[in-house]
């Protein structure tokens, strides 16, 4: 699947040897598993708002925390990398800037963030073709690309690459 490919082929190459990575919105650990297959040296910690998913992640992957993305329970500069794949879309819109500030706080200088959420432009196109309102089947909402870039820069991140699903 495309998310796993991005984690393996792009993100895994950016994390230094034996680096620590936070899987923000980890779910049961699907993407952490893909990362570990590529880079078994990486230390992973999962965080999810769901207690059930946190337990599932902990049973299969190791360290897991059930917490709010806007109030990360980690010390400053803890992680060399953070991957947040289809995670920010579930944060309440008025907390998204705070989530990104928290991510910046827990990342070490020169750390690498993989931030991937649905594009609102694509959701609107799909809705138009289907003839119904744009919505995610799991809840959450997409982002307009310019707003996504604005939030990321405002939190202090440099954008290395931006784009969407392959055609």
């Amino acid at each position: 699947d495309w998310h796993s490919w991005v984690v393996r082929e792009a993100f895994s190459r950016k994390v230094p040897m034996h680096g620590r990575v936070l899987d923000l919105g980890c779910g049961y650990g699907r993407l952490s598993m893909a990362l570990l297959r590529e880079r078994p040296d990486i230390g992973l910690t999962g965080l999810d708002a769901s207690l059930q998913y946190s337990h599932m992640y902990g049973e299969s992957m190791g360290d897991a925390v059930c917490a709010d993305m806007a109030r990360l329970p980690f010390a400053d500069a803890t992680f060399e990398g953070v991957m947040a794949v289809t995670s920010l879309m579930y944060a309440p819109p008025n907390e998204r800037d705070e989530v990104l500030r928290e991510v910046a706080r827990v990342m070490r200088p020169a750390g690498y963030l993989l931030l991937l959420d649905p594009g609102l432009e694509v959701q609107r196109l799909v809705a138009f073709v289907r003839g119904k309102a744009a919505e995610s089947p799991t809840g959450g909402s997409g982002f307009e690309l310019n707003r996504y870039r604005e939030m990321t820069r405002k939190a202090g991140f440099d954008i290395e690459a931006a784009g969407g699903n392959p055609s």
Side-chain angles (χ1 to χ4, degrees):
D1 105 300
W2 187 66
H3 294 154
S4 293
W5 180 87
V6 171
V7 166
R8 286 189 323 271
E9 299 300 320
F11 182 72
S12 73
R13 291 176 166 85
K14 301 292 184 176
V15 178
M17 286 296 292
H18 306 290
R20 292 193 60 202
V21 169
L22 173 62
D23 185 348
L24 188 65
C26 63
Y28 63 86
R30 175 179 68 92
L31 296 175
S32 284
M33 289 177 208
L35 180 58
L36 277 182
R37 280 192 297 274
E38 189 72 23
R39 293 283 309 278
D41 62 287
I42 288 176
L44 280 161
T45 300
L47 181 139
D48 204 280
S50 162
L51 185 58
Q52 180 179 2
Y53 277 140
S54 297
H55 283 301
M56 290 170 70
Y57 186 98
E59 289 172 359
S60 63
M61 301 299 304
D63 294 339
V65 176
C66 181
D68 182 343
M69 289 188 291
R71 287 165 273 300
L72 298 177
F74 307 108
D76 296 356
T78 299
F79 300 99
E80 281 83 14
V82 175
M83 57 182 192
V85 178
T86 63
S87 301
L88 193 58
M89 66 184 279
Y90 295 110
N94 64 334
E95 291 185 11
R96 290 173 176 168
D97 289 328
E98 181 60 29
V99 170
L100 289 173
R101 282 192 297 272
E102 278 290 281
V103 168
R105 180 186 64 77
V106 301
M107 285 182 62
R108 291 189 176 155
Y112 194 78
L113 169 63
L114 172 62
L115 190 61
L116 197 148
D117 285 288
L120 194 53
E121 295 88 352
V122 172
Q123 287 180 322
R124 287 178 181 151
L125 176 62
V126 169
F128 175 77
V129 170
R130 289 185 178 163
K132 57 183 176 180
E135 60 184 41
S136 167
T138 60
S141 60
F143 294 86
E144 291 181 341
L145 184 56
N146 288 336
R147 174 68 179 125
Y148 209 56
R149 287 179 175 155
E150 174 190 321
M151 288 186 318
T152 306
R153 286 189 180 118
K154 188 175 169 184
F157 293 100
D158 295 323
I159 299 172
E160 183 176 299
N165 283 330
S167 51

